[in-house]
Amino acid sequence: MSHVPIATDWDWPLQHNDGIVHVRHTDDKFEVGLDASFFTPKEIDVKVNGRELVIHLRHEERDGQFGAVRREVHRTYHLPEDIDEKTVKSHLNASGVLNITAEKKK
């Protein structure tokens, strides 16, 4: 049985275009992509705590063009019941997009 992917919008304060994270929840998997270009891989923590997806991005104060800047974002989202939380993986691509994927329960 196949159905149309479910797209859910999440609030994400660092998106450059619209402030929204688009989530794709299909028959095969669960995917999230969000802008993390202000952070290095060492400053990004993605983990699963029970059925919760916990995303924490933080960098210490840095001197910028207009003064000191410190950024921190912490979000927790409930994983859908049909997702295998043991398969959650994250990857930061060269464009600064943090991709989080998980497989469906078998």
Side-chain angles (χ1 to χ4, degrees):
M1 177 199 286
S2 178
H3 58 23
V4 178
I6 300 169
T8 306
D9 292 337
W10 286 350
D11 164 22
W12 188 254
L14 299 176
Q15 286 298 101
H16 289 217
N17 54 358
D18 62 4
I20 300 295
V21 173
H22 298 286
V23 177
R24 184 174 301 272
H25 183 193
T26 68
D27 286 339
D28 301 324
K29 63 183 167 183
F30 176 77
E31 298 177 310
V32 178
L34 52 97
D35 179 13
S37 59
F38 294 108
F39 302 91
T40 67
K42 291 180 181 180
E43 298 170 329
I44 299 171
D45 184 34
V46 177
K47 61 185 172 184
V48 176
N49 184 10
R51 300 290 313 156
E52 302 293 322
L53 174 63
V54 180
I55 306 167
H56 188 215
L57 299 92
R58 181 173 191 255
H59 68 69
E60 297 299 323
E61 191 169 293
R62 299 177 185 164
D63 289 329
Q65 180 181 0
F66 302 106
V69 176
R70 180 176 60 178
R71 289 185 179 92
E72 182 170 10
V73 177
H74 184 91
R75 293 285 188 263
T76 302
Y77 299 102
H78 184 72
L79 288 169
E81 289 299 322
D82 61 345
I83 298 301
D84 182 353
E85 67 275 4
K86 295 176 190 133
T87 66
V88 172
K89 296 178 185 173
S90 63
H91 172 73
L92 183 65
N93 73 20
S95 300
V97 175
L98 179 62
N99 293 303
I100 302 168
T101 59
E103 296 174 13
K104 297 282 187 136
K105 290 179 180 176
K106 304 245 185 224

